[in-house]
Amino acid sequence: MISIKNIQKIYPSKQGQVKAVDDVNIEINDGEIFGVIGYSGAGKSTLIRMLNGLEIPTEGTVVVANNEVSKIKGSQLRKARQEISMIFQHFNLLWSRTVRQNISFPLEIAGVSKRERAKRVDELIKLVGLDGREDAYPSQLSGGQKQRVGIARALANNPKVLLCDEATSALDPQTTDSILDLLVDINDRLGLTIVLITHEMHVIRKICHRVAVMEEGRVVELGPVLEVFKNP
Ligand code: ADP
Ligand code: ADP
């Protein structure tokens, strides 16, 4: 589903250059929940942003759901992003729109008819457990509910891959667990491939099949969670 080959990302900086991602190779399976863990500055967000073309690697190739995202641009990239969607730490919702309007937004952009949109939004609201909150504004929702809107919006166009950028880092432990349960449920029911980045071991242990550990731009360990995190 995802093939990351020899990628490197170098940012220019005052001191010369920063190698944010340094020769990373990862293959992620169809239907897998794959985690990337590491301290701040390890290169996690640069890596995940290269999976949907938000950053272009300096070297190497990234293929996601048959799209060579390290190469494509413009309308091709916009189309690919319907298959590779993303959720964020701070939700990135549209604050002046209701839950229903937020979830409907990517469907409007994709040109889905009004009737189809209404039907699809109803399904998504049920899927993420927001029944009864359709007409609320984001400011009226709890953190967990906001992330549920983020998830519903991300799923609107039936993506093949869901990227999660510290998606539970702004939530308390109990809410984190409920959002992780929802991600597992979605992975089970829709067969969606999930890639998440986090600095929290608990998140990886709770839902990931495999994990890559990043340090200073490099993957220093990669394998099934139980092997990588086994107690000595
Ligand atoms: P993480 O997500 O693990 O915290 P990042 O990918 O954000 O790591 O950052 C990796 C390194 O790249 C850090 O040294 C960071 O300062 C640097 N970096 C990230 N984005 C930029 C940018 N746009 N310009 C310059 N340096 C950047
Ligand atoms: P569970 O025991 O929770 O039902 P699964 O049946 O989903 O687990 O998976 C069995 C094992 O295979 C687990 O160790 C899981 O981490 C791993 N696994 C499941 N799906 C994938 C996948 N698509 N790619 C890699 N590993 C997977």
Side-chain angles (χ1 to χ4, degrees):
M1 178 56 63
I2 300 177
S3 173
I4 301 169
K5 287 214 169 82
N6 304 112
I7 57 167
Q8 198 180 67
K9 178 70 186 184
I10 297 175
Y11 291 113
S13 88
K14 286 187 196 118
Q15 291 80 22
Q17 295 181 327
V18 180
K19 225 183 237 184
V21 171
D22 186 4
D23 196 27
V24 166
N25 289 278
I26 304 175
E27 300 283 324
I28 299 173
N29 304 319
D30 212 348
E32 185 168 12
I33 305 182
F34 190 92
V36 178
I37 192 167
Y39 296 118
S40 175
K44 304 180 300 294
S45 26
T46 302
L47 177 68
I48 205 167
R49 288 159 62 83
M50 287 193 280
L51 298 185
N52 69 352
L54 279 173
E55 296 284 357
I56 304 292
T58 312
E59 302 249 7
T61 56
V62 180
V63 177
V64 182
N66 297 318
N67 302 287
E68 191 171 346
V69 287
S70 47
K71 208 164 87 181
I72 57 177
K73 288 185 180 136
S75 63
Q76 258 185 312
L77 182 59
R78 279 195 292 278
K79 191 144 198 305
R81 285 202 185 124
Q82 292 183 9
E83 301 194 316
I84 314 162
S85 61
M86 190 150 172
I87 58 173
F88 306 89
Q89 178 171 6
H90 298 294
F91 323 118
N92 293 12
L93 303 179
L94 299 166
W95 297 96
S96 61
R97 300 191 191 210
T98 64
V99 167
R100 183 186 292 285
Q101 289 166 340
N102 266 280
I103 300 171
S104 185
F105 192 66
L107 296 166
E108 279 173 54
I109 290 176
V112 176
S113 73
K114 198 172 171 189
R115 216 174 117 208
E116 277 299 308
R117 289 204 303 266
K119 195 169 141 231
R120 181 77 186 124
V121 170
D122 282 343
E123 287 169 8
L124 289 159
I125 282 177
K126 281 203 184 67
L127 180 73
V128 301
L130 281 173
D131 313 64
R133 304 301 278 147
E134 293 84 343
D135 298 317
Y137 287 88
S139 60
Q140 300 171 303
L141 302 176
S142 68
Q145 288 173 331
K146 284 178 202 154
Q147 194 57 288
R148 284 171 195 270
V149 178
I151 292 169
R153 180 184 58 182
L155 297 178
N157 284 312
N158 280 313
K160 296 197 172 73
V161 176
L162 178 65
L163 307 175
C164 310
D165 185 352
E166 298 280 2
T168 55
S169 300
L171 305 174
D172 63 61
Q174 212 177 338
T175 310
T176 292
D177 279 352
S178 75
I179 293 295
L180 295 177
D181 287 340
L182 176 61
L183 292 176
V184 170
D185 184 46
I186 286 164
N187 168 260
D188 260 2
R189 283 212 254 173
L190 310 178
L192 193 80
T193 304
I194 298 179
V195 181
L196 63 87
I197 64 172
T198 182
H199 61 278
E200 295 173 304
M201 184 96 91
H202 164 76
V203 169
I204 303 280
R205 279 191 192 277
K206 187 168 157 86
I207 71 166
C208 293
H209 303 136
R210 288 189 305 149
V211 61
V213 182
M214 284 189 82
E215 272 174 26
E216 297 180 359
R218 291 180 162 269
V219 170
V220 295
E221 268 192 272
L222 193 159
V225 172
L226 291 177
E227 279 176 31
V228 172
F229 292 158
K230 70 172 174 281
N231 295 316

